[in-house]
Amino acid sequence: MKTYHVITFGCQMNERDSETIAGMLEEQGYSYTEDPKSADAVVLNTCSVRENADKRFFGVLGQLKNPHENREGMMVCVCGCMMQQQHIIDTLKAKYPWVDLVFGTHNISEFPVLFKNASREKAHIIDVLSEAGPIAEGLPAARAYGFKAFVSIMQGCNNFCSYCIVPYTRGRERSRRPEAVIEEVKELAKNGCKEIMVLGQNVNSYGRARSVAGTYCAATDEPHLDFAGLLKELNKIEGIERIRFMTSHPKDISDGLIELFKDPGHVCRQIHLPVQSGSSRVLKEMNRVYTREQYLDIVRRLRQACPDIAISTDIIVGFPGETEEDFEQTLSLVEEVRYDSAFTFIYSVRQGTPAAAREDQVPEEIKHARFGRLIEAIHRIQEEKAEKYRDAVLPVLIEGPSKTDPDMLTGHTESGRVVDLPGDPSLIGRMVKVRITKPQTFSLYGALCEEQEDR
Ligand code: SAH
Ligand code: SF4
Ligand code: F3S
């Protein structure tokens, strides 16, 4: 039997796409193998959000050159966000002409045909579409887990934050029809899925714009569901015990969504709400369309609706023109919000975005120094906040062996904290009660409670 391996860079949307690609290969009779170098087909699904992602891709691709040369018939395919950029295609043509197939983010549904043609004709095919069509439904998926799943509800992004490449690589925002989403989640629940992660670059604008013909628009199409409305429908699906979502753009958060947190049902009391900067001046230049004050007001309202909601964020340091004063505003916002966790990024120049063209780039050493100060504050707060979990008994969905110690199990709390605990692998996929014995900055250490509800 022929084997495949898919290597994924980037965000959960990309991981979800890789599950589709894997599903398509399995439909063609390929089976999964751990080792890319010995696989008959390797697909690299790329990310371009920061320069590091680009570099890592070229490194991994380079390592496949020898196995590809030495093994007749081995197929190496590349796809994803990097491929939507002409300068990357030019580099591939010049330096990696041996790659068998290049496709983009808008023609994943064509992959089976492209793959067959490239392998049958032993041709090098490059097929990247510059514009997205409607969302293809009913594609296969080889999901990474049975008990938890990614559910993508929309694609693309219309926001054009001035630093970000995503709107160029993923095209215009398109929402899936609510029936298709609900059907997918019902099917997942039927097959034993307990937790879903609802995905979109900006889930708060679900159903807002019909940028592409044939996609869903809540204003004109039945049923008229905005994001909060969709969550309420998903909340009714039996068997789904946890609903998470990301990413939530502050500018589009609705009163309805905040209201929902008063009685969230299966929606986890947790929100990822990227702030990017604490300076209103920088936020304006980033084209984020909210001020520091508006962001803080959203946080206040969320906590009013749901006092123990866990809030996480994304922050960029060293955006062009960021002064020491701007950066201190980011630090003070972090102290004010006291995030449960935060992803921090050093600004990375992305060719073709407005911020890349600016001449007032912040010097590397200043960016790194600020980054260090920011992480110090974030970790200190995260550690302080972990203390509140000491001795708490919490439901944890056991997801697999621990990343730090394969003899331990790992899972997440409702708030999204990692929990490591000793236990039998037969617990994987079960929601169990865990007593937290040792809270740490990045993970909570716990023990299985003796009394378990039967689930
Ligand atoms: N759609 C999501 C974010 C997707 S990208 C949102 O708007 O919240 C994930 C994160 O990468 C962003 O939140 C941002 O913090 C970071 N990011 C995006 N472009 C970047 C760049 N050019 N340099 C550094 N970080 C960047
Ligand atoms: Fe990028 Fe902004 Fe769109 Fe997020 S909302 S994907 S940061 S352009
Ligand atoms: Fe990267 Fe594309 Fe996601 S650029 S972060 S894989 S949308």
Side-chain angles (χ1 to χ4, degrees), residues 112-125:
V113 174
L114 294 170
F115 182 79
K116 268 187 208 152
N117 290 346
S119 44
R120 194 182 316 126
E121 291 157 28
K122 296 197 166 47
H124 300 280
I125 298 180

Side-chain angles (χ1 to χ4, degrees), residues 30 60 72 77 91 127 190 213 260 278 302 318 387 402 432 452:
Y30 284 73
V60 174
E72 177 73 25
C77 314
T91 306
D127 192 341
K190 213 168 73 189
L260 187 139
L302 280 165
E387 261 313 304
S402 161
V432 295
Q452 295 287 339

